[in-house]
Amino acid sequence: MFIHIPNPDLQYVVGLDKELVQNFNVILQYLGRFVFDFEELEKPINPAGFPLYEIALKNRLINFQQHEVSHSLSCRAAWELMNELMSIEMFGLVNFTSNETLLRPKMTYDIADALTFSAGAELYSGPDDTLFGLVDSTLSSVFVELKASF
C-alpha cells in the first residue's frame, strides 16, 4: 500500500480586520506557505511508474504542496442592513501561485429571532491541473438555506 506523508510546511497569515463605516466590515488577509524538503516531481520515463507519479501529484494537490512557496490573498466584505436584519457578504480567495480562485457571495435575512434565510453561491475556478480546477464543475453551486436555531 502506498501512503503519502506531506512534507512539513510553514504557513503564515497577515491580516487586517477593519470596520470601514458603520455596519460595513472588511477582512483582508495574505496567506503564504513554504514547503520544507520540496522536490519537483518528474514524469517517469518508464510507463510503469505513472501510477505512483499520479498518486503523488494528486496528494500534492490535496495538501496544497504543488509549489515550494505559494501566495494567496483573501478578502471578506460584509454589510449589515435594516438594523442588522439583513447581511450581504462577499468572500474571495485568489491563489497567485496556482491561479485558483474562489468566490462566495451570500445574503442572509433574519426572519424571526431563531429563523434565518440565506442564499448564495460557491464558485471555484482554476487550471485543470489544480485542486479548484478539478472540482470547479462538481462543487461550484448555488445554495439556499432556512436555518432554525433552538
Side-chain angles (χ1 to χ4, degrees):
M1 182 167 81
F2 182 80
I3 298 175
H4 174 75
I5 300 172
N7 286 336
D9 60 15
L10 174 66
Q11 299 177 42
Y12 37 97
V13 177
V14 176
L16 173 69
D17 183 347
K18 181 74 174 157
E19 185 173 31
L20 297 177
V21 295
Q22 187 174 5
N23 297 328
F24 184 73
N25 184 279
V26 175
I27 300 172
L28 186 64
Q29 294 180 319
Y30 165 79
L31 303 97
R33 179 185 298 244
F34 176 78
V35 179
F36 296 99
D37 303 325
F38 182 84
E39 292 180 17
E40 289 286 340
L41 276 181
E42 295 183 21
K43 286 189 177 181
I45 297 170
N46 184 347
F50 273 100
L52 289 180
Y53 169 78
E54 287 295 322
I55 290 171
L57 193 62
K58 297 298 187 247
N59 280 322
R60 285 189 179 196
L61 284 176
I62 292 167
N63 293 294
F64 292 101
Q65 292 191 350
Q66 309 99 295
H67 306 280
E68 184 174 25
V69 178
S70 62
H71 309 279
S72 301
L73 187 67
S74 75
C75 181
R76 178 189 174 269
W79 192 15
E80 300 285 337
L81 303 164
M82 299 168 44
N83 293 322
E84 299 182 5
L85 288 176
M86 178 184 281
S87 68
I88 299 171
E89 72 178 65
M90 172 65 86
F91 173 78
L93 172 72
V94 177
N95 185 321
F96 296 108
T97 307
S98 61
N99 296 316
E100 295 172 282
T101 59
L102 166 63
L103 288 176
R104 188 173 193 264
K106 182 180 177 183
M107 185 278 307
T108 302
Y109 182 73
D110 190 1
I111 298 169
D113 285 341
L115 188 64
T116 59
F117 171 79
S118 299
E122 222 168 77
L123 309 168
Y124 296 88
S125 176
D128 290 339
D129 62 344
T130 63
L131 183 61
F132 288 1
L134 290 174
V135 302
D136 59 0
S137 62
T138 307
L139 294 183
S140 290
S141 59
V142 174
F143 62 87
V144 293
E145 171 185 78
L146 186 61
K147 181 177 168 182
S149 302
F150 49 94

